[in-house]
Amino acid sequence: MSDLPLIDLTSDPFALFHTWMTEAEVTEPNDANAVAVATSTPDGRPSVRMLLLKGADERGFVIYTNTHSRKGEEILANPHVALLFHWKSLRRQIRIEGPVEPVTTEEADAYFASRSATSRLGAIASDQSRPLADRAIFEQRLKDAEAQYGSGPIPRPTHWTGFRVVPNHIEFWQDRPYRLHDRAVWSREGTSAWNVTRLYP
């Protein structure tokens, strides 16, 4: 039905993720690391938005945010997250679910320092997710931050940090002709060994 190889069930899921991400970085026109991040309130009301993945290894998948934002508050109140990568150019997607833990202060500081000065000042000036009566207010706050810090160091706000999604569920999906797709899921409890299963499309 297709020349595409089936998903290799003997693969390590992190290694397979990196293989697919590397291929997406070649074929996607923009932001191969864009990921839909789904959070929910303590009573289960979901919300989702796009972020950029900023780290991935055997420990988990790292995103950064303002903890005063809606997503930040929801993560703190209900530390379980679902991620979705979709690469249209490759007709692939990866779904990831798991609990969330904060990154270390050192990790957050290092990533914050790697951002452009304007992005760092924006993180200081923005009350993310809060009502903004006039765009000019935010722009003035940005100018005030620029004046305060000048060309000196720009400190990371304590409410701006990262979270690591520690996966207990990773599903790989590959489009195939006639909707006879290939799906496989790796699942585990805690740090136990992965169980892998192919799924009906």
Side-chain angles (χ1 to χ4, degrees), residues 147-174:
Q148 179 178 355
Y149 296 105
S151 59
I154 303 169
R156 177 179 63 87
T158 56
H159 58 266
W160 192 97
T161 190
F163 294 98
R164 178 174 286 105
V165 181
V166 182
N168 53 31
H169 181 103
I170 307 178
E171 180 184 325
F172 294 82
W173 179 96
Q174 172 70 65

Side-chain angles (χ1 to χ4, degrees), residues 68-144:
H68 294 171
S69 68
R70 178 177 176 181
K71 62 181 172 297
E73 291 179 342
E74 289 179 352
I75 288 172
L76 292 175
N78 184 2
H80 294 83
V81 164
L83 308 177
L84 172 64
F85 295 89
H86 176 240
W87 298 302
K88 191 171 183 178
S89 62
L90 295 171
R91 298 182 179 274
R92 286 175 174 167
Q93 67 180 19
I94 300 176
R95 297 172 58 208
I96 297 166
E97 299 171 11
V100 174
E101 62 184 26
V103 302
T104 65
T105 298
E106 292 75 18
E107 287 176 293
D109 286 344
Y111 175 65
F112 189 76
S114 76
R115 305 177 86 207
S116 71
T118 301
S119 293
R120 283 177 280 160
L121 291 169
I124 292 170
S126 175
D127 284 334
Q128 192 174 2
S129 299
R130 300 298 188 272
L132 177 60
D134 191 309
R135 174 76 181 188
I137 297 172
F138 173 55
E139 292 174 352
Q140 183 59 53
R141 290 182 62 159
L142 184 59
K143 289 178 181 178
D144 293 343

